[in-house]
Amino acid sequence: EDQVTQSPEALRLQEGESSSLNCSYTVSGLRGLFWYRQDPGKGPEFLFTLYSAGEEKEKERLKATLTKKESFLHITAPKPEDSATYLCAVQGWGSQGNLIFGKGTKLSVKP
Amino acid sequence: GAGVSQSPSNKVTEKGKDVELRCDPISGHTALYWYRQSLGQGLEFLIYFQGNSAPDKSGLPSDRFSAERTGGSVSTLTIQRTQQEDSAVYLCASSLDSYEQYFGPGTRLTVT
């Protein structure tokens, strides 16, 4: 069964304090791993897609990396506006295209 | 360009009533998905439409849930005889190539 586990559940950082969020997954043939950002009361906002181990993608203060068992979302020098819930999802080749989501990491960045 | 839109944004209904939730995908996107997000739970897949193919209904939790997609565009999710456990945010997403999915703002359903 495809499964995604995210840790920690919640993370509090001071502005400028870099850290990483973890996404561990099991899937029968990875088609893609996706990171989303979700603000309260809104739908998830697409951030990155990673397809194969060793791949990295960056956007502003965010960098996503992928291994065969997990993905990390590195946040460098975060700002208060980076506060949100970050969701990780996988899509397997055996699926019809639907995503399997983790429960998310709620990030709070204090000024 | 316009993103995925959903209506209504909020719906309060009494237990036992039927509700319809609407999704307008991004123009040109052939794939459309419905997910449910309950408090403290991750997003849960419900149903998937791809072009003119038969939908993948494997995520629907009971036969009270159904969905249709007319003309390959707008989709309606119908929940019959609503129960309190149906209270959740219902999210719609669309995709051009079944990879990156773009989500709407969701419909918050409250069953009293």
Side-chain angles (χ1 to χ4, degrees):
Chain A
E1 181 183 344
D2 299 348
Q3 195 169 352
V4 176
T5 303
Q6 291 187 246
S7 62
E9 291 184 11
L11 181 62
R12 288 189 169 192
L13 299 175
Q14 287 296 127
E15 184 172 2
E17 179 187 2
S18 301
S19 188
S20 297
L21 283 56
N22 177 263
C23 171
S24 297
Y25 66 91
T26 54
V27 63
S28 51
L30 180 69
R31 191 169 186 246
L33 184 140
F34 304 82
W35 282 98
Y36 286 85
R37 168 189 172 132
Q38 188 173 27
D39 292 297
K42 296 190 176 181
E45 174 190 347
F46 171 77
L47 293 174
F48 302 109
T49 307
L50 300 168
Y51 297 102
S52 58
E55 190 174 2
E56 299 182 351
K57 288 194 176 172
E58 289 188 66
K59 180 180 179 180
E60 296 181 355
R61 295 176 293 282
L62 300 177
K63 178 180 176 180
T65 62
L66 180 64
T67 73
K68 289 186 177 180
K69 293 184 178 180
E70 56 192 352
S71 176
F72 292 94
L73 185 65
H74 307 277
I75 303 176
T76 301
K79 298 182 177 182
E81 53 262 41
D82 295 323
S83 297
T85 295
Y86 290 85
L87 301 171
C88 173
V90 297
Q91 187 181 68
W93 283 106
S95 77
Q96 294 287 336
N98 57 287
L99 299 177
I100 306 298
F101 279 87
K103 294 186 178 181
T105 293
K106 184 175 182 179
L107 175 66
S108 298
V109 182
K110 302 299 182 184
Chain B
V4 177
S5 61
Q6 293 186 244
S7 61
S9 55
N10 282 284
K11 177 71 177 179
V12 180
T13 190
E14 292 180 353
K15 177 182 174 181
K17 299 277 180 132
D18 297 353
V19 294
E20 286 189 352
L21 313 179
R22 177 187 168 104
C23 171
D24 281 90
I26 294 171
S27 178
H29 280 193
T30 56
L32 186 148
Y33 306 80
W34 283 97
Y35 294 85
R36 177 169 71 175
Q37 187 172 34
S38 304
L39 195 62
Q41 302 296 318
L43 275 80
E44 172 191 15
F45 165 72
L46 297 176
I47 189 169
Y48 161 54
F49 296 89
Q50 173 60 274
N52 295 321
S53 302
D56 174 9
K57 304 179 182 180
S58 61
L60 294 178
S62 78
D63 58 9
R64 296 185 296 105
F65 288 72
S66 64
E68 63 177 19
R69 189 177 184 192
T70 54
S73 182
V74 172
S75 177
T76 302
L77 177 69
T78 301
I79 309 174
Q80 296 179 310
R81 305 182 301 282
T82 52
Q83 303 295 312
Q84 288 189 330
E85 59 263 29
D86 300 333
S87 295
V89 176
Y90 289 82
L91 291 158
C92 174
S94 70
S95 174
L96 182 61
D97 55 7
S98 297
Y99 277 96
E100 294 152 11
Q101 297 179 22
Y102 295 89
F103 284 82
T107 294
R108 180 174 298 277
L109 175 67
T110 304
V111 182
T112 61

